[in-house]
Amino acid sequence: MGKQPDLELSPKVSDEIRQTTCYMCACRCGINVHMKEGPDGEKKVAYIEGNRDHPVNQGVLCAKGSAGIMQVNAPSRLRAPLKRVGPRGSGEFEEISWDEAYTIAEGWLRPIRETDPSKLAFFTGRDQSQSFTSFWAQNFGTPNYAAHGGFCSVNMAAAGIYTMGGAFWEFGQPDWDHTKLFMLFGVAEDHDSNPIKMGLGKIKARGAKVIGVNPIRSGYNAVADEWVGITPGTDGLFILAMVHCLMKAGKIDLDYLARWTNAPVLVDKETGLLLRDKDGKELVIDRKTGKPTAFDTPGVQPDLSATHDGHKPVLHHMAERYMADEYAPENVAERTGIPADKIRAIAAELARVAFEESFELPITWTDFRGETHTSMTARPVAMHSMRGISAHANGFQTCRALHVLQIILGSVEAPGGFRFKPPYPKPSKIHPKPHCKVTPGQPLDGPHLGFVHGPEDLALKEDGTPARIDKAYTWENPMSAHGLMHMVISNAYAGDPYKIDTLFMYMANMSWNSSMNSGGVMQMLTDTDENGDYVIPHIIYSDAYSSEMVAYADLILPDTTYLERHDCISLLDRPICEADGAADAIRWPVIEPDRNVKGFQSALCDLGARLGLPGFTNEDGSQKYADYGDYIVNHIRKPGIGPLAGWRGENGDQHGRGDVNPDQLNRYIENGGFFVKHVPEGASYMKPWNSGYQDWAVETGLYDTPQPYLFSLYVEPMQKFRRAAEGHGDIQPPEHLREQVRENMDPLPFWSDPAPANLVDEYPITALTQRPMAMYHSWGTQNAWLRQLHGHNPLYMPTKLMRENGLKDGDWAKVTSPHGTITVPVMEMAALNENTVWTWNAIGKRKGAWALDENAPEATKGFLLNHLIHELLPPKGDGHRWTNSDPITGQAAWFDLKVRIEKAAAPAESQPAYPPIKSPVGKGPKDLAWKVGT
Amino acid sequence: MTQLPTKTDKKLGLVIDLDTCVGCHACVISCKGWNTENYGAPLSDQDAYGENPTGTFLNRVHSYEVTPLASSAKPHPAAQTIHFPKSCLHCEDAPCVTVCPTGASYKRAEDGIVLVNEADCIGCGLCAWACPYGARELDQDEGVMKKCTLCVDRIYNENIPEIDRVPSCVRTCPAGARHFGDLGDPDSDVSKLVAERDGMDLMPEQGTKPVNKYLPPRPKDDLPEFDVLAPYLEPVAENPGGFIGWLDKALEKI
Amino acid sequence: MHPAPSVIIFTTLSGLGFGLLVFLGLGMPSVTGWTAFWFFLIGYVLAVGGLLSSTFHLGHPERAWKAFSQWKTSWLSREGICAVAALIVMALYGAGLVFFQSQWAVLGWLGALLSLGTVFTTSMIYAQMKTVPRWHMPWTPAKFLTLSLAGGALLAGQVTLAIVLLILAGAITLATWIIGDGQFAKSGTDMQTATGLGAIGQVKAFEPPHTGTNYLLREFVHVVGRKHSQKLRIISGVLAFALPILLLLLPFSHAIAVLAIASHLAGVLTARWLFFAEAEHVVGLYYGKR
Ligand SMILES: Nc1nc2c(c(=O)[nH]1)N[C@H]1C(S)=C(S)[C@@H](COP(=O)(O)OP(=O)(O)OC[C@H]3O[C@@H](n4cnc5c(=O)[nH]c(N)nc54)[C@H](O)[C@@H]3O)O[C@H]1N2
Ligand SMILES: Nc1nc2c(c(=O)[nH]1)N[C@H]1C(S)=C(S)[C@@H](COP(=O)(O)OP(=O)(O)OC[C@H]3O[C@@H](n4cnc5c(=O)[nH]c(N)nc54)[C@H](O)[C@@H]3O)O[C@H]1N2
Ligand code: SF4
Ligand code: SF4
Ligand code: SF4
Ligand code: SF4
Ligand code: SF4
Ligand SMILES: [Mo]
């Protein structure tokens, strides 16, 4: 003790590092999994850190990622296939063999496939293998397939793709290295969890400005230099008011608009459709000749102002609409809660930075018209947005409005602005169209999901009734590009449009945080018909953990954890690309499961073969893919194109296109679990029009031929639907939907107010949720480290509302919506829009789930807002129940929720409280003192 | 030995940027992960899956709301949210060290890192009493005092690539809000950062002379009033007609 | 601060015990043989019992011996050394009285000094804590010393002295309460300095780092209602001082003496509970608590 002890300063960190892809959330960061030999000589996961070489996270790791070790060892992990023995919802199961599980599933599925494949509804939630699961569903022959995008953020994806051939979400990113002003609309966390934080870090290090538009000032919005505490649902107005100011001041990028957008394209004065030449090319007036000319004619100088016998260019229509007084800052200030001067100041700041702080990058490039440019002009204002503006009934048009704002500033794909990530940009035209033609015993006629371009593309049967159980691509929501997972259970229960036999779900906690009206959903899943049979006859579900949904299934296919299986984050799906490169990645079993569980995709390979699905059997009827790893390597989508782009071809020297390489997975593992192909320097910006990029994309297998296109400020397909509503063409909406379609399918963005339909007069307060950065939906809670951060969730209330209701921190309040009531603890927050309350999403848990004690704070103090949100709007008295979703895409309008609040006496636990479900995996241990090494 | 070294060759510590921290807790969990597997006993958790889960953490992220005082320029200033990570500040005048009866608590002469020698610790808790910052937690399972080690078993570790010889929390911070270095060397990056951004001490009046520094948030909500920016929105046209006219002229120029 | 029973009992009993030993060391009362034996026994039971109970809250009692090593800086270390020295010296001195009927005065004075030193070092463990402003003042050792002496005098049957010391101790205790209430504000440590955010405006704690509790909150954040503490102050004031003084003023009887001692003990225990429960640690500021 006399002198300071000498320490071992270079202890061995681990015996081996295995590099794979994180799946503590959907961001898909690269991880170094440090393995240590335990006392038993077995190599175990000891420590997880970020992979420095990885394109997504470049070494950093979020709280969830670092807590992976507690997920992989969570007591909530399912252990074996389960057969329900008690009533649905009881949680009473018996463990069975995989063979028995397959036999049961086959017993339900084979007859359906032979008679009517659409009696299977296969919906996958947080699915990172959609190109695989959809392939399986397509082979089965059901039209009823989609992932969770429909209740997630399809407005953002669809608006982006229809407008500019790419979206925010994780499909694009601000030019973090060059932007000087970053404007963030309605984002708490997003899928790009780490990249956004890294980007903000870069911006902050440069001292560049961040403007946060959000009713709540937390997280990203807390570090924003300027906070705009907007009234929820009014971003469209705010954005269009800025468009108004910018157009009036002529602070728009005319050259950009003329060259790269359909601003100069002529609109037919009769039909409102775009004028085209005989080859279907959009027509512009060429300033040199004054004649209508195809937009892509070499040397054409599109004229933004000239008209052609009464047909005006798009920009005229925009001027007429957006320069109108209704969009003057003074006239939107009250509804948006943003003072007119502040709107002006922000618009002016955008103009200042975009045009005064512009600079040139010395990059020589050639555009699709053959003109060569010696530099690229920066518009260093970047924007990003997510569910805050998309999860409203006016979300699609609001997202469109935001893209219009970016585009008139000339900032999309310009240095300092917003950049697409491969496989984007990609014009909406070259995406597949939805397919729904069912033939008993046969595969579907094509991929389920895609982009419609007119009434003829809708998923309707001959009799005009919906072909899909979720009513996607119908007149109720024509552009529902991701399907409507949130409508499946209620439609199946109602037998509207038809009854189904088997509901097959994967990775979606539909009986709890994933659903609107969770209580109602639980009831629909357990309700029986007159002969005592369940209204939804069979439910198969795959989960890895003991979630709330497990209790409601008849058959459970237990998945592995993310460190125990093969996965493929594919360019055919939602890859890990960055703006400067195409990239994909794998997961591989860095540890072997110690339980009788199996990767879900491998189980589908087995099941597919048992059912004799063509894509999953060889000619001789034998099983085609031994497991998912086998599929990843050997499946071929198109000649030369497979799930993974890297190291293709016999000797693995081809990237993008190439034959199967049996050694492919090992090459990925050697490379840290991922593959990157960098965009050539001259092709890094202006990609939609940059021949350099277009050729590279073809070579890489992203396109089959170059696909240059114009940004659609004016979205023609919408006008086609509108015309149908106006009585043109032979496919027309039913009477009760005509007006809705006509009004909403506006080819130019407009703002509509979702509040009245949600009875804002009686329920004046908006109630929101936010993603906690350290939790992933429901599954953070089973994690011993993470649940200490967010073990319960107060309802955060603005100071004004706390005062009005005589509330102080820790008090309880009754929160009532048109649909229901919850009673929950409250906490004051000053940096909050004064008519908005909020809480963290998915912290509240059902007693008995997740291997937690039944008195866990998540169950007694935690709560969900979902009990207040209904998938249908309150009745309007017109005899029709309208869905609580965007009338264009069907996106669930989570954030239109309006409530009323009053003080309540503290109940024993937050209300509603549901009875415990029996845990199929028992309960977790009391204490943890975790150490792998000796 | 609880006498503080008269001077340390280096003053290793952290600089935390309150203008950049988004409050994501990545540093908290990364720290938990590293220090559970490394230095001394694991950081234990009690009632881990139960009613009242609680455990040992060496780094915790608080958050505060600050409401600026109203001024004539800003009659209704918006409140600000500030995320606030806190771990041991490796004080030069570390009261936690001098109170320790066993010598388990000590400050390293070579780099100023304050550590607990778990083999000598009797778990009396006095050092935690003496720390104004709540940087020490007594591990309930092991009965010894736990605190930030500044990842002393990483920063010199020859089994780790050079570039990774930084604390686990620093390496993982997605926003880059945590900086590690020698605050004793005026030319080090961290010292420069502190100078540039007016880095500050926590509770200076406690006289602990923290080595860790905090970079205050930059001024917020100070977008110039519109009149300053007005020139940028000078109207070229009040109505669509005028706008088209302006277009014609403007287009001539490109 | 969390009022840990072991520590409350320790400081109270050992305070009394060493207080008694002080007087024995000074030869008040000057006793020998069996009487001396009983007196010393009481002194040792209290002092040693107290010391032992103080080890109960240790994470590793078996290593307690290491606590003697840091006398250069650590008051806790010094306390340990002082206590052991005091107990040894007083043991020799006591042996003299009990077995050899002889009073080695110098040894006694030394023992008395060491016993007093023990109480002082104990008090300094608290008084040194800048982090607990209510403790961080000279009044704290004054309180510990006078209480110990008053209690010792009581036990040693030094009636008049006891009365004087009780009045003194009572007065000082009262002072620590009144002055103590203002200490936190005086310390200059508040949420603004704790967070360094004072320059921007009014600071309010928002989300805590963890939704659950932790060691810091359990150990340092213990809120007693104001009304509550006023009541307890009165109770302990009456029991520890007023009542014993009254009883001592009555014609002496053993029953009354025992009653006085019991009342004093109960009062000091209450005061000691308050000493911890009322003390606010500055770390509470980070949690928006005090
Ligand atoms: N109130 C409110 N509700 C919302 C939202 C909101 O903002 N507010 N957001 C909505 C949105 S956008 C979404 S995307 C949904 C998300 O809601 P969900 O899609 O339900 O997402 P999770 O709760 O993360 O979990 C889905 C299930 O996946 C399981 N799982 C986790 N890992 C694995 C694995 O490796 N294999 C398998 N087979 N299963 C696994 C989990 O155990 C869990 O049961 O929530 C929606 N619900
Ligand atoms: N850590 C973590 N990361 C996740 C997830 C998770 O559960 N945890 N979930 C993933 C999933 S499935 C998704 S879909 C993404 C979603 O990522 P985000 O889009 O960030 O989703 P939310 O957390 O719902 O954040 C919505 C934000 O919009 C704000 N908002 C609500 N209404 C309005 C409005 O009208 N206007 C404006 N301007 N803002 C508004 C809310 O205050 C909130 O800050 O996150 C993904 N990433
Ligand atoms: S953001 Fe975090 S949880 Fe999501 S993949 Fe990256 S590290 Fe894992
Ligand atoms: S990791 Fe960085 S950004 Fe996240 S809380 Fe810690 S310091 Fe803040
Ligand atoms: S922060 Fe606390 S524990 Fe760390 S050195 Fe300073 S006083 Fe000691
Ligand atoms: S708890 Fe351990 S380190 Fe702290 S003072 Fe006691 S012995 Fe020293
Ligand atoms: S330096 Fe190491 S021990 Fe200290 S907080 Fe960071 S990770 Fe934890
Ligand atoms: Mo989502």
Side-chain angles (χ1 to χ4, degrees), chain C residues 14-77:
Chain C
S14 68
L16 265 179
F18 283 108
L20 173 56
L21 292 180
V22 171
F23 285 97
L24 293 175
L26 298 174
M28 321 166 58
S30 104
V31 284
T32 56
W34 278 110
T35 356
F37 176 78
W38 291 119
F39 266 109
F40 273 85
L41 187 66
I42 296 171
Y44 270 81
V45 167
L46 292 172
V48 176
L51 283 181
L52 284 182
S53 84
S54 76
T55 61
F56 293 166
H57 82 289
L58 294 183
H60 283 277
E62 78 281 3
R63 300 178 188 155
W65 60 270
K66 298 189 179 209
F68 295 114
S69 65
Q70 303 303 313
W71 52 271
K72 278 198 198 137
T73 61
S74 166
W75 283 105
L76 179 50
S77 198

Side-chain angles (χ1 to χ4, degrees), chain A residues 4 52 217 225 305 787 931, chain B residues 40 48 81 110 164 221 248:
Chain A
Q4 87 188 28
R52 275 198 191 270
R217 192 177 209 173
D225 301 275
S305 69
R787 72 182 289 249
K931 206 176 193 104
Chain B
T81 312
E110 50 275 67
D164 285 340
D221 304 318
D248 275 326

Side-chain angles (χ1 to χ4, degrees), chain B residues 88-91 94-96 114 131-133 135-136 147:
Chain B
C88 173
L89 290 83
H90 298 279
C91 307
C96 57
V114 173
C131 170
Y133 308 104
R136 294 178 165 239
K147 68 174 294 303

Side-chain angles (χ1 to χ4, degrees), chain C residues 241-266:
Chain C
F241 311 110
L243 195 57
I245 292 171
L246 283 178
L247 290 167
L248 291 180
L249 290 173
L250 299 176
F252 180 85
S253 93
H254 280 287
I256 290 179
V258 171
L259 201 60
I261 292 168
S263 159
H264 177 73
L265 182 60

Side-chain angles (χ1 to χ4, degrees), chain A residues 61-63 197 223 773, chain B residues 15-18 20-30 59-62 83-86 169-170 172-179:
Chain A
L61 212 61
C62 82
K197 295 178 185 67
V223 301
M773 290 178 180
Chain B
V15 172
I16 292 166
D17 186 346
L18 298 179
T20 303
C21 173
V22 295
C24 69
H25 294 272
C27 51
V28 174
I29 302 296
S30 180
N59 175 32
R60 296 180 185 256
V61 178
H62 297 251
H83 303 288
F84 195 95
K86 190 162 54 56
C169 58
V170 172
T172 213
C173 174
R178 306 174 73 88
H179 306 268

Side-chain angles (χ1 to χ4, degrees), chain B residues 32-203:
Chain B
K32 177 97 171 174
W34 176 262
N35 291 287
T36 288
E37 190 54 35
N38 294 284
Y39 190 96
L43 305 177
S44 70
D45 302 288
Q46 282 65 41
D47 201 14
Y49 302 99
E51 190 170 348
N52 183 17
T54 144
T56 310
F57 286 79
L58 309 184
N59 175 32
R60 296 180 185 256
V61 178
H62 297 251
S63 66
Y64 299 98
E65 282 196 320
V66 188
T67 312
L69 308 169
S71 68
S72 52
K74 285 213 195 80
H76 309 292
Q80 302 175 14
T81 312
I82 289 146
H83 303 288
F84 195 95
K86 190 162 54 56
S87 51
C88 173
L89 290 83
H90 298 279
C91 307
E92 285 180 58
D93 239 320
C96 57
V97 168
T98 49
V99 297
C100 175
T102 64
S105 257
Y106 66 103
K107 186 172 177 71
R108 282 161 53 89
E110 50 275 67
D111 51 23
I113 298 177
V114 173
L115 287 177
V116 171
N117 173 1
E118 293 180 10
D120 285 352
C121 175
I122 58 173
C124 67
L126 212 58
C127 52
W129 289 25
C131 170
Y133 308 104
R136 294 178 165 239
E137 302 190 13
L138 191 72
D139 187 79
Q140 300 304 294
D141 180 70
E142 188 64 19
V144 298
M145 192 53 70
K146 285 289 187 178
K147 68 174 294 303
C148 161
T149 65
L150 206 66
C151 287
V152 68
D153 49 2
R154 285 184 63 91
I155 57 178
Y156 302 112
N157 194 327
E158 266 127 35
N159 298 315
I160 296 181
E162 187 96 40
I163 182 173
D164 285 340
R165 292 180 201 162
V166 296
S168 190
C169 58
V170 172
R171 187 190 188 281
T172 213
C173 174
R178 306 174 73 88
H179 306 268
F180 165 74
D182 179 4
L183 287 131
D185 166 7
D187 304 326
S188 67
D189 294 353
V190 280
S191 299
K192 289 198 199 116
L193 203 53
V194 170
E196 260 163 49
R197 300 269 311 275
D198 307 321
M200 57 186 183
D201 287 352
L202 304 185
M203 292 185 181

Side-chain angles (χ1 to χ4, degrees), chain A residues 632-854:
Chain A
I632 293 171
V633 172
N634 294 304
H635 174 68
I636 293 177
R637 246 333 130 85
K638 289 188 284 186
I641 304 281
L644 291 173
W647 299 286
R648 302 193 65 81
E650 279 316 314
N651 28 27
D653 50 7
Q654 289 157 282
H655 299 305
R657 296 175 187 274
D659 298 339
V660 165
N661 168 13
D663 193 41
Q664 197 177 26
L665 288 176
N666 293 328
R667 303 300 299 274
Y668 270 79
I669 292 170
E670 287 158 20
N671 194 55
F674 65 94
F675 158 78
V676 193
K677 186 175 182 212
H678 288 288
V679 176
E681 213 255 351
S684 50
Y685 295 92
M686 308 302 275
K687 301 192 196 88
W689 322 288
N690 184 330
S691 322
Y693 176 80
Q694 297 283 323
D695 299 341
W696 177 85
V698 172
E699 159 202 313
T700 310
L702 305 177
Y703 312 145
D704 295 334
T705 59
Q707 298 293 338
Y709 61 96
L710 298 178
F711 283 168
S712 299
L713 293 160
Y714 187 94
V715 174
E716 190 182 32
M718 302 188 76
Q719 177 64 14
K720 290 191 178 153
F721 286 103
R722 174 175 256 185
R723 276 179 60 74
E726 286 165 346
H728 304 277
D730 39 19
I731 310 173
Q732 295 185 21
E735 283 319 312
H736 73 281
L737 291 173
R738 259 186 209 283
E739 186 43 32
Q740 163 171 316
V741 173
R742 203 201 55 73
E743 182 193 338
N744 289 289
M745 300 307 274
D746 189 324
L748 284 178
F750 72 104
W751 180 79
S752 61
D753 190 355
N758 291 279
L759 313 184
V760 67
D761 298 342
E762 298 150 71
Y763 304 90
I765 302 158
T766 308
L768 302 173
T769 55
Q770 295 201 102
R771 306 286 189 263
M773 290 178 180
M775 283 279 176
Y776 200 60
H777 295 288
S778 59
W779 27 307
T781 290
Q782 65 196 319
N783 190 296
W785 293 349
L786 298 180
R787 72 182 289 249
Q788 292 183 53
L789 303 176
H790 293 286
H792 50 86
N793 53 314
L795 183 75
Y796 293 100
M797 292 179 56
T799 310
K800 171 171 149 279
L801 289 178
M802 292 288 281
R803 300 275 152 71
E804 282 176 9
N805 294 281
L807 288 162
K808 53 177 174 16
D809 290 1
D811 286 351
W812 291 65
K814 206 161 133 240
V815 186
T816 309
S817 77
H819 170 56
T821 295
I822 60 177
T823 309
V824 302
V826 300
M827 183 171 169
E828 179 176 342
M829 181 182 194
L832 175 57
N833 173 290
E834 60 175 29
N835 288 310
T836 302
V837 298
W838 71 280
T839 193
W840 294 119
N841 183 45
I843 298 302
K845 293 292 175 301
R846 175 87 180 263
K847 290 196 183 75
W850 305 102
L852 297 181
D853 185 300
E854 283 174 10

Side-chain angles (χ1 to χ4, degrees), chain A residues 151 485-486 508-516 518 866 894:
Chain A
F151 55 63
M485 189 172 186
H486 52 295
N509 205 7
M510 294 304 286
S511 68
W512 198 245
N513 58 293
S514 194
S515 285
M516 293 177 156
S518 312
N866 302 51
W894 300 97

